[in-house]
Amino acid sequence: MRDTRDISPDAPAEKQGVGARVLRKEDDRLMRGRGQFVGDIRLAGLQDVAFVRSPVAHARIRAIHIPERYRDVVFTAADLVGVKPIRAVSGLPGFKISEQPVLATDKIRQVGELVAMCVAATRAEAEDIAASVTLDLEELPAVHDMLKAREPGSALVHEHWGDNVFLESSFEVDITSALDAPIKITREISTARQCMAPLEGRGVVATFDHRLDQLTLYTGSQMPHIVRNGLSDTLDIDQGQIRIVSPDIGGGFGHKGILLPEEVCLSWLTMQRGFPVRWIEDRREHLTASANCREHHYKITVYADRDGRLRGIDCEATVDSGAYSSYPFSACLEAAQVASILPGPYLMPAYRCRTYSVATNKCPILPYRGVARTGVCFALELMLDLVAAEAKLEPGEVRLRNLVRPEQMPFDNITKKHFDSGDYPEAMRRALAMIDVDAVRARQRRHEVDGRLIGVGMSIYCEQAAHGTSVYAGWGIPMVPGHEQATARLTPDGGLELRVGVQSHGQGMETTLAQVAHEMLGVDIARVRVVHGDTAMTPYSTGTWGSRSMVMAGGAVATACAELAERARKIGAKLLQCDEADVILTDGEVRGASGSVTLKEIAHTWYRRPQDLPGDVDPAGLETTSGYKPQRDSGTFSYAAHAVIVAVDPDLGDVEILDYVIVEDGGVLVNPMIVDGQIFGGLAQGIGTALYEEMPFDGAGQPLATTLADYLLPGPTEVPSPRLDHMETPSPYTKFGVKGIGEGGAIAPPAAIGNAVNDALRPLGVELLHSPISPRRIVTAILKAREAERPAA
């Protein structure tokens, strides 16, 4: 295990590279309030936009009534001539395309859908104009329950489909061989809809430069180049006429990885009117109209032998995809993965899973940190604890008996996922030792003086990250990653500029990519500038998603810097009057038998004193763009074991987290301090999923949590400081052996906490299978269990 002890911010140069815990470069501006977010952008003549949004979930539009005095500042779909609907396509067999008009045309399919766009000098005035617009609607029955939506006779979200299923998919391996297993446990497990709730909501500033004949869109996007693709398609203009600039981003988590109808609307408006326009999402819009995720339902059966070894899993999984598939692809992103990832890191000879991506009259389900894996982990890990109870074994022991073993790596699991490396049993053993299950069992036998019940829970998962061409090409969607590119350029004074197409929205990539460059060139990271988030200045990239950036962009930066190092070495040899074979580049200088010359001196000579170079010097110079793919592009597999102790108040339903431990393996860690931060933040989100966050809907499809007073988020008092243990098993396929790590902290907590709560309540005959595990659900379950005991008594 790599030593991850703190390194001073004044660490010497040799400790700035891969593996060093250096402080984040970007924090100097962010912690001083000098960051620039979309809301900070001010342009001359800027006007604000507010939208008229649907107040109902499902309706036909009879008419839109606009007061005469506002005819010139209110725009409907009839005005957006030539603007195409947003189409998220897929080559998956049976996938049904949903065309999402950027402003509603004849029909409304969700609360909050855009109906009209209003522009004024201020947001307040624009909202007043929007309030004056009235809608004449013929309300239709709302499709609000994803399970009922699959039944014959259900109202239809898209009539021409004939049903409400975006996609049905399945995977099966010899399930009949498991049916005679002595342990057979069936449950229905579900997760609530959530909202991402980053500190910064979405925002857009659009302006058109007639001199350049170019639209510039400032938007907080994780995928600037993909947004440009989508805008080009919907506006039917050349990509050269579009520049996307993504400034600082106050959290993304997947929500900022799609093309927004608001982005299309504002782009059209500025091109038509000539002045810049702005829309900043308010929290009500964020909660109700655009940012939902994670509504899953599992009917799952687990088969096992009496010794706890898995024989197989049989599952039917349904995901509520909402009304539309957002561009580039969202409707099936969760359900289509469930079938392939449900086995997790476990060995089993039999498996069957059928999944349904269901359309409802809710806002589209969007990718959220740990896409699909959080729900899958919750369902699978809860079931393993039930197997342990039936087999009369400790839950940790059941996991140890079923996990893929290190000597089997690399390993192709039952769904053909290729695990690159790792020691899953060791991670679980470390977590069990750190949480001390024996001590918890002794404490349970003693009982608590305050009447609370103690429980211990655990979970383990694996996460496929840095998916490559071979994975996404089969989906037939407009976002297939290829070679990730990076540009590296030495400046005349010996600094280094890196240009990458990925976008940082909190991951610290301005630091970690600089560390990679330092590893290759020896340039002090203070002198490395990372340029990202601007399609006019960066190489094409599918952006930041799927925990891919450190693997892909980090590999591209390393490749570009290696090429740059070779060029600098050759120039250095010329300056030292040595043979190229006799010099090396190390610690930022080229060294030979006759002396050394620094990169700064090499750059100064190349740019400013070319007369000092011999005539046969390589003219390629000190700037290069290089591409990178791992040796195998099926993805890396990181993993972590989580264990938690909780105290549950049976009268109030309150859950207190007493201790939380995480043992994670993300391959070689470029900056362990940043990894710690990723895990801390992910844990907070996972605790929210487990205990607090829920977006309920009524029978009319109305969202019922429209403010942060209704939608509960965990705060500092609800999130403990976890105890972390880093394992580092290098990937055999990637530069430096790195793996994706950014989503992991959010995946396992709901399952671990759910198992801990069930462990605490098992003596009462209570079993909770839905997240969040709220106080109301706990108390209701306890009262129901007590009621069931009374007749027997």
Side-chain angles (χ1 to χ4, degrees):
M1 187 172 71
R2 181 188 291 268
D3 185 357
T4 57
R5 291 172 295 180
D6 286 348
I7 289 176
S8 163
D10 299 320
E14 66 268 22
K15 292 188 177 180
Q16 292 184 353
V18 172
R21 296 178 72 98
V22 298
L23 297 179
R24 299 193 341 160
K25 287 160 57 71
E26 46 271 81
D27 284 350
D28 182 67
R29 70 174 185 276
L30 295 174
M31 298 299 288
R32 297 174 190 273
R34 295 171 181 168
Q36 186 183 58
F37 302 86
V38 173
D40 296 317
I41 294 170
R42 300 288 189 272
L43 302 176
L46 182 70
Q47 297 209 21
D48 277 294
V49 167
F51 289 96
V52 178
R53 295 180 179 270
S54 170
V56 299
H58 201 191
R60 299 196 187 281
I61 301 175
R62 293 196 187 102
I64 302 171
H65 300 292
I66 303 169
E68 191 63 36
R69 65 185 182 279
Y70 295 136
R71 289 283 180 182
D72 291 337
V73 294
V74 177
F75 306 90
T76 66
D79 299 305
L80 274 62
V81 177
V83 176
K84 300 174 183 177
I86 296 172
R87 298 179 84 247
V89 300
S90 171
L92 293 171
F95 175 76
K96 302 184 184 76
I97 295 174
S98 62
E99 292 196 340
Q100 180 182 9
V102 295
L103 292 176
T105 51
D106 59 333
K107 189 179 178 183
I108 286 164
R109 293 183 173 88
Q110 65 163 95
V111 171
E113 185 163 1
L114 306 185
V115 178
M117 172 171 52
C118 309
V119 61
T122 66
R123 172 66 179 250
E125 292 175 88
E127 288 184 351
D128 287 343
I129 294 170
S132 73
V133 176
T134 57
L135 306 178
D136 183 0
L137 305 175
E138 176 192 350
E139 196 163 355
L140 301 171
V143 182
H144 72 283
D145 184 314
M146 61 180 169
L147 299 181
K148 293 180 180 178
R150 288 172 44 198
E151 297 175 356
S154 171
L156 299 177
V157 180
H158 302 276
E159 285 87 350
H160 63 286
W161 289 5
D163 61 20
N164 287 315
V165 179
F166 275 99
L167 180 70
E168 179 181 342
S169 57
S170 63
F171 191 99
E172 181 173 349
V173 175
D174 195 23
I175 190 63
T176 56
S177 67
L179 301 182
D180 63 346
I183 294 178
K184 175 184 176 181
I185 301 172
T186 299
R187 294 291 188 274
E188 291 192 39
I189 298 173
S190 55
T191 62
R193 257 194 180 232
Q194 285 184 244
C195 191
M196 288 80 161
L199 287 175
E200 180 203 27
R202 292 303 303 254
V204 181
V205 173
T207 185
F208 193 82
D209 188 321
H210 289 278
R211 180 181 67 85
L212 298 176
D213 191 30
Q214 187 177 61
L215 165 72
T216 299
L217 191 75
Y218 299 90
T219 181
S221 174
Q222 299 170 220
M223 301 154 64
H225 292 271
I226 299 301
V227 170
R228 185 168 72 162
N229 290 348
L231 272 181
S232 175
D233 292 344
T234 54
L235 297 175
D236 197 22
I237 61 175
D238 292 341
Q239 293 209 20
Q241 288 183 279
I242 303 172
R243 179 188 180 191
I244 307 297
V245 179
S246 189
D248 288 324
I249 299 179
F253 314 126
H255 170 48
K256 296 176 182 174
I258 62 167
L259 173 68
L260 294 173
E262 291 89 347
E263 290 170 330
V264 181
C265 287
L266 267 71
S267 296
W268 176 88
L269 181 59
T270 191
M271 292 172 68
Q272 294 296 315
R273 289 303 178 97
F275 51 77
V277 289
R278 173 179 61 186
W279 168 73
I280 303 295
E281 180 182 63
D282 65 29
R283 190 56 64 176
R284 181 182 174 87
E285 288 177 307
H286 179 83
L287 286 167
T288 62
S290 68
N292 285 185
C293 60
R294 283 187 180 166
E295 188 172 3
H296 292 203
H297 179 274
Y298 300 86
K299 185 174 182 180
I300 183 170
T301 301
V302 172
Y303 302 92
D305 289 321
R306 283 292 169 192
D307 63 0
R309 297 186 190 277
L310 293 175
R311 291 274 295 275
I313 295 175
D314 194 1
C315 180
E316 180 179 286
T318 306
V319 174
D320 189 324
S321 297
Y324 300 104
S325 186
S326 296
Y327 184 94
F329 185 67
S330 73
C332 307
L333 196 57
E334 298 254 332
Q337 290 194 77
V338 166
S340 66
I341 66 176
L342 182 59
Y346 297 108
L347 299 164
M348 63 192 72
Y351 177 66
R352 179 170 65 187
C353 185
R354 182 170 296 276
T355 67
Y356 298 87
S357 304
V358 177
T360 61
N361 292 120
K362 302 174 185 175
C363 63
I365 191 169
L366 302 181
Y368 182 39
R369 194 174 191 175
V371 177
R373 291 163 184 82
T374 304
V376 162
C377 182
F378 185 68
L380 177 60
E381 294 292 303
L382 261 59
M383 293 299 290
L384 285 179
D385 265 34
L386 295 175
V387 168
E390 180 69 17
K392 296 180 172 54
L393 295 168
E394 277 289 348
E397 181 58 32
V398 168
R399 287 166 174 81
L400 289 172
R401 293 182 183 187
N402 287 286
L403 288 168
V404 176
R405 300 182 300 277
E407 64 269 20
Q408 295 176 286
M409 297 293 181
F411 177 78
D412 291 334
N413 80 343
I414 197 166
T415 62
K416 307 305 180 186
K417 294 293 184 184
H418 184 76
F419 297 176
D420 51 348
S421 66
D423 190 340
Y424 297 91
E426 176 63 13
M428 178 54 65
R429 283 191 290 265
R430 291 191 189 192
L432 294 173
M434 290 171 69
I435 208 72
D436 196 350
V437 176
D438 290 341
V440 176
R441 298 300 181 214
R443 182 175 178 179
Q444 287 175 326
R445 290 191 293 270
R446 291 194 302 269
H447 302 293
E448 300 296 299
V449 295
D450 60 6
R452 295 192 300 174
L453 302 172
I454 301 300
V456 61
M458 62 210 64
S459 62
I460 189 169
Y461 70 90
C462 60
E463 180 197 3
Q464 185 180 12
H467 309 67
T469 306
S470 61
V471 177
Y472 266 59
W475 291 20
I477 61 175
M479 190 190 81
V480 179
H483 280 81
E484 191 73 20
Q485 292 185 310
T487 298
R489 175 171 65 191
L490 278 177
T491 60
D493 61 354
L496 180 67
E497 291 180 356
L498 301 175
R499 299 177 186 270
V500 292
V502 294
Q503 167 67 10
S504 181
H505 46 93
Q507 303 94 324
M509 282 194 283
E510 292 175 26
T511 302
T512 50
L513 292 178
Q515 288 180 252
V516 169
H518 173 84
E519 188 79 14
M520 304 302 296
L521 290 168
V523 176
D524 191 292
I525 65 169
R527 304 212 63 208
V528 180
R529 179 178 295 272
V530 177
V531 178
H532 57 106
D534 189 337
T535 59
M537 302 177 68
T538 61
Y540 181 86
S541 172
T542 54
T544 301
W545 52 273
S547 298
R548 69 186 299 272
S549 293
M550 206 61 243
V551 174
M552 301 301 293
V557 165
T559 303
C561 287
E563 185 173 330
L564 193 62
E566 182 62 15
R567 294 185 186 182
R569 191 183 66 83
K570 290 179 179 180
I571 295 172
K574 300 285 187 183
L575 296 178
L576 293 171
Q577 299 181 6
C578 296
D579 289 336
E580 293 176 13
D582 296 333
V583 298
I584 60 170
L585 192 155
T586 184
D587 294 336
E589 60 183 27
V590 175
R591 296 174 184 171
S594 61
S596 64
V597 58
T598 66
L599 286 177
K600 181 176 181 179
E601 292 168 325
I602 291 170
H604 180 82
T605 303
W606 172 263
Y607 289 109
R608 303 183 68 176
R609 294 191 58 83
Q611 68 271 22
D612 294 344
L613 294 169
D616 61 346
V617 71
D618 186 346
L622 297 176
E623 177 175 349
T624 182
T625 298
S626 298
Y628 172 79
K629 265 190 180 183
Q631 296 174 29
R632 178 175 178 137
D633 75 346
S634 56
T636 63
F637 277 80
S638 54
Y639 58 96
H642 289 221
V644 59
I645 302 172
V646 303
V648 182
D649 187 321
D651 296 319
L652 300 178
D654 178 69
V655 176
E656 181 184 359
I657 298 174
L658 303 179
D659 192 14
Y660 204 107
V661 302
I662 301 171
V663 181
E664 62 79 28
D665 188 344
V668 173
L669 306 182
V670 174
N671 187 322
M673 183 192 72
I674 286 180
V675 171
D676 288 353
Q678 292 270 36
I679 294 171
F680 291 158
L683 173 61
Q685 290 174 308
I687 289 172
T689 300
L691 298 175
Y692 302 103
E693 299 184 48
E694 182 171 17
M695 174 56 73
F697 287 76
D698 67 13
Q702 289 288 340
L704 300 180
T706 60
T707 72
L708 291 181
D710 310 306
Y711 187 87
L712 300 182
L713 292 166
T717 58
E718 288 78 43
V719 180
S721 179
R723 295 186 286 136
L724 304 184
D725 184 9
H726 292 301
M727 295 171 57
E728 293 194 57
T729 310
S731 172
Y733 307 128
T734 67
K735 187 67 177 177
F736 308 118
V738 300
K739 300 181 181 182
I741 194 67
E743 298 170 90
I747 293 172
I753 293 169
N755 280 330
V757 171
N758 283 336
D759 184 60
L761 298 179
R762 190 163 287 116
L764 304 183
V766 170
E767 185 178 273
L768 292 157
L769 303 173
H770 179 85
S771 71
I773 301 173
S774 63
R776 175 178 59 82
R777 289 192 173 95
I778 291 173
V779 171
T780 299
I782 291 173
L783 293 176
K784 186 176 180 179
R786 288 173 179 170
E787 185 67 28
E789 289 178 356
R790 284 188 184 125

